[in-house]
Amino acid sequence: MKKEDMVKLISSEGFEFVIDKDAAMVSQTIYNMLTSPGSFSETQHGEVTFPEISTTILEKICKYFYWHLQFASGKETEFHIEPELTLELLMAANYLHT
Amino acid sequence: MSAPKKKNFQIEAFKHRVVVDPKYPEKTWKILEHAIHEIYNHNASGLSFEELYRNAYNMVLHKFGEKLYSGLVATMTSHLSEISKSIEAAQGELFLEELNRKWADHNKALQMIRDILMYMDRTFIPSTHKTPVHELGLNLWRDVVIHSSKTQTRLRDTLLELVHRERNGEVINRGLMRNIIKMLMDLGSTVYQEDFEHHFLEVSADFYRLESQQFIECCDCGDYLKKAERRLNEEMERVSHYLDTRSLDKITNVVEKEMIESHMQRLVHMENSGIVNMLVNDKYEDLGRMYNLFRRVPTGLSIVRDVMTSYIRDTGKQLVTDPERLRDPVDFVQRLLDLKDKYDKIISLAFGNDKTFQNALNSSFEYFINLNTRSPEFISLFVDDKLRKGLRGVSEEDVEVVLDKVMMLFRYLQEKDVFEKYYKQHLAKRLLAGKTVSDDAERSLIVKLKTECGYQFTSKLEGMFTDMKTSQDTMQGFYASNGPDLVGDSPTLAVQVLTTGSWPTQPSATCNLPAEILGVCEKFRSYYLGTHTGRRLSWQTNMGTADLKATFGKGQKHELNVSTYQMCVLMLFNNADRMTYKEIEQATEIPASDLKRCLQSLACVKGKNVLRKEPMSKDIAEDDAFFFNEKFTSKLYKVKIGTVVAQRESEPENQETRQRVEEDRKPQIEAAIVRIMKSRRMLDHNNIIAEVTKQLQARFLPNPVIIKKRIESLIEREFLERDKNDRKMYRYLA
């Protein structure tokens, strides 16, 4: 994988998740961050820091991105969400416009 | 998240977040405002999208959307005012470039800002029915920059000036033009229309009004049209390069109106170069151009068509009424055909085979061909000429072409029955004299006539062909059965048995046949009546021909090809060297006019004068005397004497034929009236006339006065009666 095709997402605790750009762009917010004209620091460095999203949630989100790429069109599988994460995940989803 | 893209739920903030710094909105806004400044200053590289987005997100979430929005409007407005100032300050040529550059900047900045404020766009704006960020940016640009008092007119004038310069042949920066026009379009179609298009069209109209005025003063029609076409193409090209495609129709309309519509009449009637000139000189290219240009304006084509029609009518009328032309019917018809060919070609090459033009052409031909009452006769004569000699050695396809053309002229004739009459006469002469070049061609024409006018029209013509065929068989039979008796010196007889009715027989004026012939004739009569019972034979001596062998003074022999009458006369000289006119008349009983004509051709034509006349004069008088001309010489062995070729009729003959045609029409009109009344039972006068005309149109155009006479005649004979209450109504009596 070329470096340009990857993006680094950093959680509030500083954990780094390196995922495919295609996956990250499932989020409309991240999509705009990486494609907006002019050069925001995110576009330049290929990394995004989320000071308000915890590692657990960000991990779940990354999982969702890939699940979405794979299955979103069909309804065969379910994306499992632990009940305790629900609320925070909901917040993050609204934020990321996913 | 498990149901992606469901956006219509609102998330409440966490409780602990509610307690915020009272300065929080102010602080957050400052960060964003700063970012917007940086973006406009091309300094965005240091900014974190996430941070800005998060701030905007939080502001909206914490109900400070209104502040964010109004802050945005204020900040953007102030930036745009500055931009506007710098644009206004740009000098001359740089104005548009500056505007274009700033517009590109603004667009980019606007997109970045929109991305940052996406959350506001998504939630706050729809719920408060405000203008989305992008649109807001465009609106502000329009109001602050484009509609600033200094820029608005300057921009418009600059653009129009550039167009004007391009029209005058200068090269302008089309890319820049396109960008600026695109900007106006992006700002909304009303901006484009009001700030540019409207004025553009007005200026263009003025420009072309003036230019067309100049052109028309100094150019001829062809050049003018070329210029107009070029201008039109230029405008279309302009639209495709840098204007809104929706302007295409508008600007072309302007050009069409100013350059074509206002000058149409003058153009088509231009002396020495208008339509008439183009038609005369076959200027296909110019005509084609005119067609294509005039087609664009509503009444354009009808003007072209009218001028063409009236011109064709005029030339046609001249042609058919020119007494010079009437002398040679073949040439006359050939000229008609040439004329038709010429215009067919023009219509196909220049007018795109336009149906309306074809119709106009046809109606013009119909109009002037029927101006001359002798057209049917001439057309038949033309066919006669072609079938006698004109088509010899011509390939079958070419024959068809000629025949098709004749049929086309035939279609224009209103008096098709007159044509039929003449055609019958001419065909009869051709068949009897064995002069027809090709049986196939003859039949082909009959088939064409049949498809055109139906079985009735040609049944008699076909009957004539059948008679010829049966006659051949009859003659074979005759010689087979009488063979032995007829060998030797007795003349060979070829009889054509013609069915009365099918052939145009004249009142048979019999003459006394020479004894030698009479014998054979009698034998044939008895043979024929023996094989066919219940028939009557009468000899049409005026239609036959004969071949004679003659020996002259110095012993030279010639074969003379003569008519039956001439044969009768010549045979008399076997027994006498000198005969007076009276004696000849008495001996042969040939009708005086025919006799005179045949004596004239025997005695007065140089090189064919087998008889000598006293006194020597051109005309035959009652007391002339005739001698056998011993000194007759000819280079040819076979001498053809005074063959009766079909010629255009003399005036009295013509009258006679007319009269016969009129007679023939009467029963046809009556039959039509009876047919109509039988189905309608009751009908008023005008409708009868209309219906009869319609029914008979295929053959001729009946005259209402004659129809009226026929109706009266039918009333007398009690086929019809007048209604007792309404005198205009007729009732059918079964």
Side-chain angles (χ1 to χ4, degrees):
Chain A
M1 270 291 176
K2 278 187 260 166
K3 197 170 177 277
E4 295 86 69
D5 294 331
M6 308 300 281
V7 63
K8 196 188 278 179
L9 305 181
I10 305 169
S11 74
S12 56
E13 291 92 344
F15 264 83
E16 297 180 351
F17 296 88
V18 179
I19 63 169
D20 288 297
K21 258 190 187 175
D22 289 346
M25 284 190 196
V26 168
S27 153
Q28 191 62 38
T29 308
I30 298 180
Y31 176 88
N32 283 344
M33 277 179 199
L34 298 177
T35 57
S36 191
S39 37
F40 286 106
S41 57
E42 284 86 352
T43 331
Q44 281 174 352
H45 303 125
E47 55 178 63
V48 187
T49 318
F50 294 106
E52 290 189 358
I53 301 178
S54 68
T55 313
T56 352
I57 298 299
L58 192 56
E59 185 188 355
K60 198 72 190 168
I61 287 169
C62 290
K63 280 184 186 163
Y64 169 76
F65 286 161
Y66 281 99
W67 177 88
H68 178 88
L69 279 189
Q70 229 181 327
F71 300 114
S73 49
K75 292 253 162 83
E76 295 88 356
T77 56
E78 249 180 54
F79 186 70
H80 179 74
I81 297 171
E82 295 80 354
E84 62 272 25
L85 294 182
T86 322
L87 187 60
E88 266 187 279
L89 214 46
L90 220 50
M91 293 277 296
N94 185 38
Y95 177 75
L96 290 173
H97 194 185
T98 308
Chain B
M1 197 137 105
S2 53
K5 312 283 183 204
K6 285 271 183 204
K7 295 168 201 158
N8 46 0
F9 53 83
Q10 200 69 54
I11 305 293
E12 288 297 324
F14 282 135
K15 285 280 187 298
H16 69 267
R17 280 268 179 88
V18 177
V19 199
V20 281
D21 187 350
K23 282 184 183 161
Y24 168 77
E26 200 51 44
K27 257 164 59 190
T28 325
W29 167 242
K30 281 291 171 218
I31 297 172
L32 284 167
E33 191 185 18
H34 173 73
I36 293 173
H37 286 314
E38 293 291 309
I39 287 172
Y40 269 109
N41 293 333
H42 306 284
N43 222 351
S45 56
L47 300 172
S48 160
F49 187 105
E50 197 274 343
E51 186 194 347
L52 299 172
Y53 177 80
R54 178 158 38 85
N55 283 327
Y57 173 82
N58 283 331
M59 273 188 88
V60 173
L61 212 56
H62 294 133
K63 309 261 183 261
F64 298 111
E66 190 57 48
K67 182 176 174 56
L68 181 61
Y69 191 83
S70 58
L72 171 71
V73 173
T75 316
M76 212 185 266
T77 310
S78 85
H79 269 283
L80 290 176
S81 324
E82 262 170 48
I83 286 176
S84 176
K85 281 201 192 83
S86 90
I87 292 172
E88 281 164 14
Q91 292 300 309
E93 307 263 310
L94 297 175
F95 170 68
L96 280 189
E97 282 174 36
E98 182 70 9
L99 179 62
N100 183 33
R101 192 162 53 241
K102 292 292 182 198
W103 164 247
D105 288 351
H106 175 67
N107 246 334
K108 190 172 158 191
L110 185 58
Q111 202 177 343
M112 288 163 81
I113 294 168
R114 184 191 58 186
D115 286 344
I116 295 169
L117 301 181
M118 189 179 68
Y119 190 74
M120 180 176 79
D121 245 353
R122 210 171 84 205
T123 55
F124 174 74
I125 285 172
S127 64
T128 51
H129 307 291
K130 289 193 188 300
T131 320
V133 176
H134 187 75
E135 209 183 318
L136 175 74
L138 295 181
N139 290 347
L140 287 174
W141 175 267
R142 179 189 67 203
D143 297 341
V144 179
V145 179
I146 300 300
H147 287 173
S148 92
S149 55
K150 284 182 187 157
T151 308
Q152 191 167 19
T153 47
R154 187 176 173 196
L155 172 63
R156 186 176 71 215
D157 293 345
T158 315
L159 291 175
L160 294 178
E161 168 69 17
L162 280 174
V163 172
H164 186 75
R165 271 158 59 186
E166 196 182 40
R167 278 188 185 138
N168 285 336
E170 283 183 46
V171 177
I172 61 162
N173 186 345
R174 286 188 156 184
L176 185 61
M177 272 303 263
R178 182 172 51 240
N179 287 346
I180 301 291
I181 299 289
K182 176 92 171 28
M183 171 189 82
L184 293 178
M185 292 193 290
D186 286 346
L187 295 178
S189 56
T190 52
V191 178
Y192 172 75
Q193 280 162 12
E194 281 163 21
D195 281 279
F196 176 72
E197 192 184 46
H198 178 67
H199 305 279
F200 169 66
L201 294 176
E202 262 177 19
V203 170
S204 305
D206 290 343
F207 178 81
Y208 285 119
R209 194 174 306 131
L210 200 68
E211 188 177 78
S212 64
Q213 229 13 285
Q214 285 168 357
F215 283 169
I216 204 148
E217 292 306 333
C218 65
C219 299
D220 66 17
C221 182
D223 285 345
Y224 182 92
L225 292 176
K226 261 179 218 156
K227 291 198 161 95
E229 186 185 43
R230 205 185 62 225
R231 281 304 193 192
L232 199 59
N233 288 337
E234 272 174 20
E235 291 304 327
M236 289 195 248
E237 196 203 24
R238 187 176 340 279
V239 171
S240 75
H241 276 290
Y242 55 76
L243 298 184
D244 184 359
T245 45
R246 277 169 295 183
S247 298
L248 181 65
D249 288 344
K250 297 179 192 162
I251 183 64
T252 49
N253 268 337
V254 167
V255 182
E256 285 153 11
K257 187 165 173 298
E258 297 302 336
M259 294 206 83
I260 301 169
E261 205 171 352
S262 357
H263 301 293
M264 271 191 305
Q265 289 294 351
R266 184 153 172 201
L267 282 171
V268 296
H269 293 300
M270 261 195 191
E271 221 153 298
N272 301 326
S273 69
I275 293 184
V276 169
N277 178 276
M278 292 179 185
L279 291 174
V280 171
N281 294 318
D282 293 330
K283 291 189 173 162
Y284 302 122
E285 215 175 291
D286 285 343
L287 286 169
R289 188 172 294 119
M290 177 175 275
Y291 176 79
N292 285 324
L293 289 175
F294 278 47
R295 188 169 49 170
R296 299 172 152 274
V297 289
T299 55
L301 284 190
S302 68
I303 289 180
V304 177
R305 205 164 45 234
D306 290 348
V307 175
M308 184 187 84
T309 311
S310 74
Y311 177 67
I312 298 179
R313 283 184 181 208
D314 282 352
T315 41
K317 198 170 168 180
Q318 264 171 31
L319 181 65
V320 297
T321 51
D322 183 354
E324 254 332 274
R325 300 277 159 259
L326 299 185
R327 292 223 183 111
D328 184 354
V330 177
D331 180 61
F332 172 85
V333 176
Q334 190 57 52
R335 274 167 197 274
L336 286 180
L337 289 177
D338 291 347
L339 196 66
K340 180 73 169 45
D341 279 350
K342 177 186 165 84
Y343 286 102
D344 274 343
K345 203 167 168 201
I346 286 176
I347 287 176
S348 85
L349 287 177
F351 298 152
N353 276 328
D354 191 313
K355 273 274 177 297
T356 56
F357 278 75
Q358 285 172 349
N359 291 342
L361 177 63
N362 289 340
S363 75
S364 315
F365 264 79
E366 200 175 319
Y367 162 76
F368 68 71
I369 283 187
N370 290 304
L371 279 183
N372 188 336
T373 49
R374 309 198 64 167
S375 293
E377 183 191 348
F378 286 2
I379 292 174
S380 175
L381 278 171
F382 178 80
V383 179
D384 188 61
D385 177 72
K386 288 288 165 206
L387 291 173
R388 267 172 195 270
K389 48 190 183 221
L391 293 175
R392 193 166 292 152
V394 178
S395 78
E396 226 170 277
E397 290 89 44
D398 292 348
V399 173
E400 283 293 302
V401 170
V402 173
L403 295 184
D404 278 336
K405 282 184 179 167
V406 170
M407 283 310 294
M408 177 193 72
L409 289 183
F410 168 74
R411 250 168 248 146
Y412 295 136
L413 291 178
Q414 276 164 359
E415 298 182 302
K416 296 196 168 58
D417 56 341
V418 179
F419 175 84
E420 188 199 3
K421 195 121 267 155
Y422 284 109
Y423 190 76
K424 218 154 107 182
Q425 276 174 24
H426 297 151
L427 176 65
K429 284 180 186 160
R430 271 203 307 280
L431 288 177
L432 292 179
K435 285 285 158 48
T436 161
V437 173
S438 147
D439 256 11
D440 288 344
E442 291 278 6
R443 280 177 196 283
S444 159
L445 191 67
I446 302 267
V447 171
K448 286 182 205 303
L449 288 171
K450 198 170 173 177
T451 33
E452 194 66 32
C453 298
Y455 167 77
Q456 255 199 327
F457 195 83
T458 55
S459 61
K460 286 183 180 170
L461 301 180
E462 285 176 80
M464 289 162 75
F465 279 99
T466 326
D467 280 351
M468 292 304 288
K469 185 83 184 57
T470 21
S471 297
Q472 261 179 21
D473 297 345
T474 312
M475 283 322 288
Q476 271 173 12
F478 172 60
Y479 275 100
S481 63
N482 286 306
D485 304 342
L486 290 167
V487 276
D489 258 356
S490 73
T492 318
L493 187 71
V495 179
Q496 268 113 22
V497 184
L498 314 179
T499 314
T500 321
S502 291
W503 296 72
T505 43
Q506 273 118 22
S508 82
T510 44
C511 67
N512 291 339
L513 291 168
E516 297 92 326
I517 311 287
L518 211 54
V520 201
C521 287
E522 280 314 315
K523 274 194 182 125
F524 179 79
R525 184 195 292 278
S526 56
Y527 164 77
Y528 186 79
L529 296 179
T531 43
H532 301 84
T533 47
R535 297 205 183 174
R536 254 177 28 162
L537 273 184
S538 64
W539 299 100
Q540 293 280 324
T541 45
N542 53 344
M543 292 163 103
T545 58
D547 288 336
L548 297 176
K549 281 183 186 144
T551 317
F552 289 91
K554 289 173 187 161
Q556 78 268 44
K557 288 188 176 176
H558 286 289
E559 198 174 299
L560 307 177
N561 180 275
V562 295
S563 72
T564 307
Y565 282 156
Q566 287 168 335
M567 180 267 293
C568 295
V569 174
L570 288 177
M571 292 295 272
L572 293 176
F573 286 89
N574 275 343
N575 308 319
D577 276 348
R578 177 187 185 279
M579 290 193 90
T580 62
Y581 176 84
K582 289 269 186 230
E583 284 169 332
I584 297 176
E585 191 178 25
Q586 224 161 28
T588 58
E589 287 182 8
I590 298 173
S593 66
D594 287 328
L595 180 60
K596 276 186 183 166
R597 227 185 314 162
C598 94
L599 282 173
Q600 202 166 17
S601 54
L602 285 170
C604 300
V605 184
K606 222 179 159 213
K608 306 202 164 159
N609 46 342
V610 290
L611 293 184
R612 198 158 50 78
K613 183 170 86 76
E614 261 175 23
M616 298 280 275
S617 65
K618 283 278 165 202
D619 294 310
I620 307 293
E622 300 261 327
D623 39 13
D624 284 354
F626 296 87
F627 302 89
F628 179 64
N629 185 6
E630 304 242 340
K631 292 174 195 138
F632 175 79
T633 52
S634 173
K635 280 175 227 157
L636 304 163
Y637 175 65
K638 279 195 178 183
V639 182
K640 210 176 202 177
I641 293 174
T643 40
V644 196
V645 244
Q647 269 168 354
R648 57 182 292 257
E649 288 183 323
S650 60
E651 215 38 61
E653 279 176 316
N654 189 15
Q655 294 291 340
E656 202 179 302
T657 316
R658 281 265 140 215
Q659 221 158 28
R660 259 186 295 141
V661 168
E662 292 298 338
E663 276 312 309
D664 283 358
R665 282 178 183 179
K666 283 182 188 167
Q668 290 189 44
I669 297 176
E670 284 180 1
I673 297 173
V674 169
R675 266 198 304 275
I676 292 160
M677 291 309 289
K678 204 166 181 177
S679 63
R680 297 296 181 90
R681 315 308 289 184
M682 256 179 83
L683 207 62
D684 67 291
H685 185 75
N686 288 343
N687 271 323
I688 292 187
I689 303 256
E691 294 247 359
V692 169
T693 312
K694 208 172 116 202
Q695 275 205 5
L696 295 174
Q697 224 164 24
R699 294 178 59 80
F700 61 93
L701 217 59
N703 184 338
V705 179
I706 295 177
I707 299 179
K708 189 157 180 282
K709 278 191 187 145
R710 288 302 99 205
I711 294 176
E712 278 157 11
S713 156
L714 286 170
I715 292 174
E716 267 171 38
R717 283 179 281 159
E718 296 187 335
F719 282 93
L720 306 178
E721 66 171 5
R722 280 185 203 276
D723 194 276
K724 286 174 190 79
N725 304 319
D726 185 352
R727 302 294 288 168
K728 275 186 181 162
M729 293 295 280
Y730 299 108
R731 196 191 296 278
Y732 181 70
L733 298 173

